[in-house]
Amino acid sequence: MSRSPSEVPDPSPGLTLFSHEGKPYRFDPGALCLELLPTGGPGELARFEVLHRPADLVTWAGRSRLAAGLDLTVTEDELVAARTLRDALFPLAADRAHGRPLRARDVDIINTAAVPPPLVTRLAPDGSRGWAPGATGTGLLSTVARDAIDLFSGPYADRVRECGAHDCRLLFVDTSRPGRRRWCAMEHCGNREKVRAHRARKATWDVPGPPRSAGGPPTC
């Protein structure tokens, strides 16, 4: 899925993504660290890459669930580090979603990214929440990595899931009370899979049954 450069930020948590047909839909992965994953990834996911320049990481931060007003400076080296962190987060989240052991190399990347000081918040005179000046890409990545550590080791670790659609690899944490979330977004994959299941059932209904015996009871 790709992001539109002209996307208007939405005040609700989550991201606006676009289907292959260009239709927008809202995807809330439930955690800051998981919001980084739709920007690209390792292997075949590299075709979705959107973090090409430092400004792209700044744009992502502004559209993330971080509070507004972050004045962020990102260097080329920090951009490379962001892609490295993301490419480790993706398999870690997928391993959590499928109950597999976490890979040591990916864990080391997360822990290393979490070492520097994170972004610093502050209270404004009007009572609103803002950011301390001097925010860097390194601080941003530390904040993301610490969020990942909290997620993968916390009470929702067993609720990290992959979208249930047969052709979608988006990952999210199910924070709903019943814990029955299946789709990245009901308006996207949920509806697509319902249509797909309906067509499969209809195809089964339309298959002609075996012929009936002449003069006898119907065959099963």
Side-chain angles (χ1 to χ4, degrees):
M1 288 33 170
S2 62
R3 299 287 301 277
S4 167
S6 61
E7 174 189 331
V8 177
D10 189 297
S12 62
L15 308 166
T16 298
L17 303 182
F18 290 81
S19 69
H20 295 299
E21 296 77 27
K23 182 179 179 181
Y25 63 96
R26 196 71 180 164
F27 169 54
D28 181 10
L32 174 66
C33 62
L34 300 183
E35 286 187 331
L36 187 60
L37 304 189
T39 64
E44 64 180 16
L45 298 174
R47 68 182 187 273
F48 299 119
E49 184 63 67
V50 298
L51 299 181
H52 303 290
R53 302 172 301 157
D56 297 329
L57 185 58
V58 174
T59 298
W60 172 82
R63 293 171 176 168
S64 74
R65 66 205 313 116
L66 291 170
L70 180 64
D71 186 9
L72 183 66
T73 300
V74 177
T75 66
E76 289 284 352
D77 287 344
E78 288 170 333
L79 176 66
V80 173
R83 292 195 293 256
T84 299
L85 175 61
R86 179 201 61 203
D87 292 356
L89 279 171
F90 196 98
L92 278 179
D95 288 342
R96 265 301 186 193
H98 296 285
R100 299 186 295 254
L102 304 183
R103 284 167 269 197
R105 177 182 177 276
D106 299 325
V107 171
D108 287 344
I109 291 173
I110 304 302
N111 287 336
T112 299
V115 170
L119 298 174
V120 178
T121 57
R122 65 179 183 178
L123 183 67
D126 64 358
S128 63
R129 182 179 182 179
W131 298 101
T136 66
T138 299
L140 171 66
L141 300 184
S142 178
T143 300
V144 172
R146 292 173 187 223
D147 182 70
I149 292 170
D150 288 344
L151 174 61
F152 297 144
S153 64
Y156 286 99
D158 293 333
R159 286 206 182 184
V160 177
R161 293 176 185 160
E162 186 175 81
C163 179
H166 72 289
D167 58 351
C168 180
R169 296 182 62 187
L170 287 175
L171 292 147
F172 59 86
V173 55
D174 182 3
T175 58
S176 67
R177 180 173 295 181
R180 292 195 294 266
R181 181 178 171 185
R182 295 181 59 194
W183 317 110
C184 60
M186 188 65 213
E187 63 184 292
H188 180 54
C189 283
N191 288 340
R192 288 195 307 119
E193 287 300 302
K194 282 189 174 183
V195 171
R196 182 170 175 264
H198 174 74
R199 288 174 178 170
R201 288 194 300 269
K202 187 174 185 301
T204 301
W205 297 334
D206 291 343
V207 173
R212 297 188 178 188
S213 302
T219 57
C220 298

